[in-house]
Amino acid sequence: MDLPEPTLVTRALRQGISNDTQHGAVVPPWYPSTNFAFPVIGEEPDYAYSRSGNPTRDLFGQALATLEKGAGTVITSSGMSAATLAIMAFVPAAGRVVAAHDLYGGTWRLLDRLGADGKLQVDWVDLSDPDAARAALSTPADLVWVETPSNPLLRITDIAAVAELGHAAGAVVLADNTFCSPLLQQPLTLGADVVLHSTTKFINGHSDVIGGALVAGTDELAEQLDWWANTTGVAGSSFDAWLQLRGLRTLDVRLRMHEANARAVVALLVDHPAVARVHYPGLPDHPGHDIATRQQHGFGSLVSFDLAGGRAAADAMCHGLDWFVLAESLGGVESLIVHPSSMTHGAMSDDAKQLAGIGEGLLRLSIGIEQTSDLVADLTAGLDRAAATTV
Ligand SMILES: *Cc1c(COP(=O)(O)O)cnc(C)c1O
């Protein structure tokens, strides 16, 4: 009997397994070589020089293209080098970028500086607001930069609607899919042209490699990105690709545990008197809940919440936790907590923070895959400490 077509998950997680024709290694070998031999003069081998192409890096890139349903992937040294590459490739001199007002801080800094230097024009828009998106994209643009769910408030943008507006404005539409990973959301299938990942986060999943990727929806865009990647030299190292491919193999099972833990934590937060508000797209009263239900295959494991007691409560909660490490980044197997106002979003002005809704009592969790009961116990103790500051 013929087996059914393999699922994308199985294909991507088995990427390169048993492909070694020399020794039959089960796990694909790592090719650190910088250069590869030409068979004869005038005949280009598949790989010539590792900045432009490397077999190990390609295995990882193909796995991401499979999961995102894309035509090709450029693997870069970090999420930010992927962002730099996208701007190089898609924004002409003094071109116009329409970007979400609550983008990842590093992306915000890059676009803001290029704008200040007159290299491009950037308009910051709340793309989760359909009227604001329509108004901004009623004039021509070169690049639209979407990030959904957003950080740290988990705002949801309708990718299909913004992609349509972006295309009508003549723009390439890029979606930063770092928070969801391709297993929870596939922006190319919703109309985006290019997907960006900080593979540092869920894709590698173990907080031990910095990496990035751009997945292109068409061959033409993939070739364009390949050309720019080779020309600028932003490609990721072959060993980092090898490590990240190993991380990717457990993405599906990790995400299931991440999300189960997130559900338990959200249930705790919504009922605790120390908490004024919970931001999680899985909650029916979250403003983006319906869109998230439609465009995501799960609600993920990032949760933020406002403590009623402000900064004093945040200090009491964060100091004394056993399992939640007070640290930036996200998407690793270990649980983390951040105080966005002083940490991840510390560079924002007070006005910008207020506009984005980032208060002194806001905390963001990246919920890991430890045993659920341990995480709930740790947070319950922390919330009780936070509540005690307000009596
Ligand atoms: C971390 C992150 C980036 C930047 O990626 P690096 O790998 O740190 O360079 C970009 N976008 C989002 C949403 C991120 O979380």
Side-chain angles (χ1 to χ4, degrees):
M1 202 185 85
D2 287 341
L3 291 175
E5 270 290 296
T7 61
L8 295 187
V9 171
T10 298
R11 276 175 56 203
L13 304 195
R14 288 290 293 262
Q15 181 75 18
I17 295 283
S18 288
N19 76 348
D20 176 28
T21 50
Q22 196 176 5
H23 299 296
V26 173
V27 166
W30 165 39
Y31 290 97
S33 191
T34 54
N35 46 355
F36 299 83
F38 283 58
V40 290
I41 290 177
E43 204 178 305
E44 206 33 67
D46 288 346
Y47 296 103
Y49 187 57
S50 277
R51 189 186 65 232
S52 51
N54 173 278
T56 311
R57 197 167 65 225
D58 272 2
L59 274 185
F60 179 43
Q62 283 153 13
L64 292 185
T66 300
L67 287 176
E68 288 286 5
K69 301 200 171 107
T73 305
V74 168
I75 298 295
T76 58
S77 58
S78 69
M80 287 318 303
S81 59
T84 304
L85 183 66
I87 294 166
M88 285 276 210
F90 301 130
V91 187
R96 178 169 180 251
V97 179
V98 172
H101 71 314
D102 52 0
L103 283 186
Y104 173 73
T107 311
W108 181 87
R109 179 171 52 202
L110 175 63
L111 288 170
D112 182 62
R113 178 60 192 254
L114 291 171
D117 287 354
K119 292 183 171 139
L120 50 76
Q121 181 201 332
V122 57
D123 289 325
W124 303 105
V125 178
D126 180 357
L127 293 176
S128 69
D129 172 354
D131 294 333
R134 196 169 305 111
L137 292 168
S138 62
T139 45
D142 297 293
L143 181 61
V144 178
W145 203 293
V146 179
E147 187 181 313
T148 179
S150 75
N151 181 21
L153 289 169
L154 291 309
R155 290 192 182 92
I156 303 291
T157 294
D158 186 333
I159 296 174
V162 171
E164 203 180 310
L165 293 169
H167 291 151
V172 170
V173 176
L174 178 148
D176 183 330
N177 201 24
T178 299
F179 268 37
C180 277
S181 94
L183 292 184
L184 297 190
Q185 178 168 273
Q186 296 161 325
L188 300 177
T189 68
L190 299 165
D193 302 301
V194 179
V195 166
L196 182 145
H197 279 289
S198 167
T199 54
T200 310
K201 315 295 168 52
F202 287 100
I203 287 174
N204 180 59
H206 294 74
S207 306
D208 52 11
V209 182
I210 298 281
L214 286 174
V215 187
T218 64
D219 290 333
E220 197 187 330
L221 287 171
E223 275 165 34
Q224 202 180 338
L225 289 172
D226 263 341
W227 189 88
W228 277 103
N230 182 39
T231 301
T232 56
V234 296
S237 93
S238 58
F239 185 59
D240 287 355
W242 189 87
L243 284 173
Q244 293 179 92
L245 186 58
R246 183 172 71 165
L248 179 71
R249 298 192 197 288
T250 57
L251 179 62
D252 185 43
V253 68
R254 281 188 280 115
L255 286 182
R256 282 189 255 172
M257 190 65 195
H258 277 299
E259 192 157 337
N261 280 345
R263 274 195 299 274
V265 165
V266 167
L268 166 70
L269 292 172
V270 294
D271 274 344
H272 200 284
V275 177
R277 194 159 163 216
V278 182
H279 309 275
Y280 185 62
L283 288 169
D285 64 354
H286 183 286
H289 178 71
D290 291 343
I291 297 166
T293 305
R294 204 166 65 229
Q295 77 183 6
Q296 297 178 202
H297 312 298
F299 300 112
S301 54
L302 285 142
V303 180
S304 59
F305 57 100
D306 294 295
L307 287 169
R311 177 61 182 266
D315 287 339
M317 166 130 199
C318 292
H319 304 152
L321 291 170
D322 282 336
W323 299 117
F324 282 82
V325 183
L326 183 63
E328 296 182 358
S329 197
L330 57 107
V333 296
E334 74 290 345
S335 290
L336 305 174
I337 188 164
V338 290
H339 181 247
S341 173
S342 66
M343 296 169 68
T344 50
H345 294 67
M348 274 172 118
S349 67
D350 288 345
D351 283 352
K353 281 185 205 166
Q354 201 178 7
L355 209 65
I358 301 169
E360 284 297 305
L362 181 76
L363 294 173
R364 188 199 74 196
L365 304 174
S366 173
I367 298 164
I369 63 170
E370 302 90 341
Q371 191 80 53
T372 314
S373 55
D374 291 324
L375 297 184
V376 168
D378 197 25
L379 289 178
T380 303
L383 291 168
D384 291 348
R385 283 195 300 276
T389 62
T390 56
V391 290

